Amino acid sequence: MRRLYPLMLALLLASCAQYQAGSRNPLIRTSYDAADQLVQLTQPTLPKDAPLIVATFVHLDHLTEAATLGRVLSEQVATRFTQMGYPVVELKLRGSVFVREGKGELLLSREVKDISLAHNVQAVVVGTYATSPDKIFLNLKIVRPQDNRVLSAHSVAIDLNETTQALLLSEPS
């Protein structure tokens, strides 16, 4: 048993190192920082006793479509809100949300209030992105669904590189 302790410690440290490596990834870090900024800028502050919804981030010019990039970014933002202690409603388990195969959870405005009421949701995190030859511009908002009031907004420019280009192009046909 004594011989197993060093092995178990090494495995534990290796798994921690892998987690740290993921949080250092530039795309993940950008998503986490954007979520942090949204929370810091929100007026009034968001209490942690009511849930949030994070919708799939969509292309600014095609609001009913999202490439894998939009789905990945919204998942990362939802992860960060969860890490900060906010209860996040998982939309992929709901049948009443507009979900297109390979497109993600695209909230139709008429459904936001219904879903919000059903889950006592205090806010919805929405986002759009647009691309230029060298950047992806991501715009995020926290919106109160009862009156569509924007409680917080934050914009980020992400480098268009091999990884982000692949996520943009991986949209299913």
Side-chain angles (χ1 to χ4, degrees):
M1 189 66 163
R2 285 183 171 247
R3 290 184 212 185
L4 288 178
Y5 286 128
L7 178 60
M8 289 176 12
L9 181 61
L11 288 173
L12 179 64
L13 291 174
S15 67
C16 289
Q18 289 174 341
Y19 173 77
Q20 289 298 323
S23 67
R24 288 190 191 122
N25 176 280
L27 192 59
I28 295 171
R29 188 76 257 144
T30 298
S31 298
Y32 285 11
D33 289 345
D36 292 346
Q37 285 297 309
L38 278 175
V39 169
Q40 288 177 4
L41 297 170
T42 302
Q43 291 299 324
T45 58
L46 291 175
K48 293 184 179 180
D49 62 348
L52 304 168
I53 291 174
V54 180
T56 298
F57 302 158
V58 296
H59 191 283
L60 184 60
D61 293 330
H62 308 283
L63 296 176
T64 59
E65 297 180 8
T68 300
L69 178 73
R71 294 187 299 279
V72 166
L73 291 171
S74 63
E75 288 287 336
Q76 292 170 352
V77 167
T79 296
R80 186 62 173 164
F81 272 93
T82 301
Q83 290 172 349
M84 289 188 282
Y86 291 95
V88 176
V89 175
E90 178 56 72
L91 292 177
K92 286 187 263 329
L93 302 178
R94 302 248 333 130
S96 63
V97 178
F98 178 46
V99 179
R100 288 174 50 188
E101 183 72 31
K103 299 290 185 184
E105 308 80 40
L106 305 171
L107 292 180
L108 299 176
S109 59
R110 66 181 175 272
E111 294 175 333
V112 171
K113 286 186 182 173
D114 294 339
I115 295 167
S116 301
L117 288 172
H119 291 282
N120 195 27
V121 172
Q122 66 174 319
V124 179
V125 180
V126 296
T128 59
Y129 60 87
T131 59
S132 73
D134 64 339
K135 298 282 184 199
I136 299 164
F137 296 96
L138 177 64
N139 302 294
L140 304 171
K141 296 176 185 171
I142 295 178
V143 180
R144 186 169 54 203
Q146 294 80 4
D147 59 4
N148 293 335
R149 180 174 169 225
V150 176
L151 303 176
S152 178
H154 183 64
S155 298
V156 198
I158 302 168
D159 288 335
L160 190 57
N161 57 32
E162 194 174 301
T163 300
T164 54
Q165 184 72 32
L167 291 171
L168 278 170
L169 297 176
S170 63
E171 183 175 2
S173 53

